[in-house]
Amino acid sequence: MNAPASESTTPVGVFVGLATLDVIHRVSAAPAPNQKITSSTQFVAAGGPAANAAVTFAALGGTAVLVTALGDDPVAALVKADLLTFGVRVIDAAEGSMRSVPVSAVTVIESTGDRSVVSADAVNSDASPPADLEAVVAGADVVLVDGHHPLIACAAAEHAAARVTTSVVDAGRWKPVMSELIPHATDVVCSADFRIPGTSDTATTAAAIVGSGVRTVVTTHGGEPVEWWSEGFSGSVDVEPVAVVDTLGAGDAFHGAYAYYSTQTDAVPERIAGAAHVAALRCSVIGPRAWLGRLSTDTLHYP
């Protein structure tokens, strides 16, 4: 069992990447062209891969720090306030400037929990790393990057590698910066759709990542077993069945929980089991935040 590298017994996670404002509507069916429909429920919350992972890490009992670029736009104030409410400290690399904060329009189908998202992102962001980034990373037990705000992501990954800190890449989809981030990572957590250019499936993608020197590769497949490859070993971990009502942010929850459990155990299957349990819980509760209240009793000491 790993002990946190920080002085406190509470693990510290630094999450680098995208924060958005999500406007979420639950609907009975997706709207047709030129159709207006009324949602049954709506939510407004901070979103984005790194932000959601940080919220999950904090809910599990960790100290979560999000490094992003928001600026002083009124929408940014909403994002920061929501994240603070859920225990995430935000380091804003764009503080003092006016930027356009990405806003995501999200629909969730009531009968299946499937979500559709239209959003701007920060893949091509030119935001520079904050001056204290090296010190922030030095205090971390785990660092996660999602490939958004690439200049900040690369700097964080390099600082983590220099300190031999666990460094997780959220590989939801291929982004050009991935070719720079992956060689610095200890762990790469991939969606089933993620492909290294020139590879054809999850197995060849995993082989390419392992071949680049990454210690552990994990690939999720929704409700199907999670595959993993680590230091010459491989296997899979079953995902518990749940009644799925809302899949928004489930992958982000998996990543945040995986980062948390990486500070608790060296055993890859145990990390995955904990993360899969958290992601399943996320899918079983409607709304972006209500599910967090169940973590303290259902998952804090899991696995």
Side-chain angles (χ1 to χ4, degrees), residues 170-204:
D170 167 356
R173 61 185 172 94
W174 176 260
K175 307 175 187 73
V177 74
M178 290 293 180
S179 60
E180 299 176 63
L181 294 177
I182 287 174
H184 293 299
T186 59
D187 299 61
V188 177
V189 182
C190 308
S191 72
D193 297 326
F194 181 78
R195 297 286 182 272
I196 297 286
T199 63
S200 58
D201 54 27
T202 57
T204 55

Side-chain angles (χ1 to χ4, degrees), residues 36-298:
K36 294 182 180 180
I37 60 175
T38 300
S39 62
S40 61
T41 315
Q42 70 174 22
F43 304 94
V44 178
N52 285 333
V55 167
T56 302
F57 190 92
L60 284 167
T63 297
V65 181
L66 173 67
V67 184
T68 188
L70 289 166
D72 297 339
D73 182 283
V75 175
L78 294 175
V79 173
K80 292 175 183 178
D82 183 66
L83 292 170
L84 180 61
T85 297
F86 290 95
V88 177
R89 174 191 169 202
V90 177
I91 297 177
D92 184 4
E95 189 172 20
S97 67
M98 295 294 290
R99 301 174 66 89
S100 178
V101 178
V103 176
S104 298
V106 183
T107 58
V108 179
I109 305 300
E110 292 173 313
S111 60
T112 64
D114 292 334
R115 88 290 188 267
S116 299
V117 182
V118 178
S119 180
D121 59 28
V123 171
N124 297 312
S125 166
D126 62 356
S128 297
D132 60 347
L133 181 61
E134 185 173 6
V136 170
V137 171
D141 300 293
V142 59
V143 175
L144 180 144
V145 297
D146 67 9
H148 294 274
H149 301 299
L151 297 178
I152 306 175
C154 286
E158 290 171 7
H159 291 318
R163 299 187 65 85
V164 201
T165 300
T166 299
S167 178
V168 181
V169 172
D170 167 356
R173 61 185 172 94
W174 176 260
K175 307 175 187 73
V177 74
M178 290 293 180
S179 60
E180 299 176 63
L181 294 177
I182 287 174
H184 293 299
T186 59
D187 299 61
V188 177
V189 182
C190 308
S191 72
D193 297 326
F194 181 78
R195 297 286 182 272
I196 297 286
T199 63
S200 58
D201 54 27
T202 57
T204 55
T205 289
I209 297 172
V210 170
S212 70
V214 173
R215 182 179 65 203
T216 301
V217 178
V218 175
T219 302
T220 60
H221 297 268
E224 298 301 314
V226 180
E227 298 178 287
W228 61 271
W229 299 260
S230 184
E231 299 180 304
F233 297 91
S234 63
S236 65
V237 176
D238 289 338
V239 175
E240 64 197 83
V242 295
V244 175
V245 295
D246 193 341
T247 61
L248 180 65
D252 306 334
F254 184 98
H255 298 140
Y258 183 89
Y260 179 83
Y261 289 119
S262 76
T263 71
Q264 307 299 301
T265 177
D266 292 324
V268 174
E270 289 185 7
R271 295 181 184 183
I272 294 170
H277 183 72
V278 170
L281 175 61
R282 165 66 195 101
C283 291
S284 70
V285 180
I286 293 172
R289 298 288 186 250
W291 70 282
L292 296 170
R294 292 177 54 183
L295 284 177
S296 59
T297 56
D298 195 26

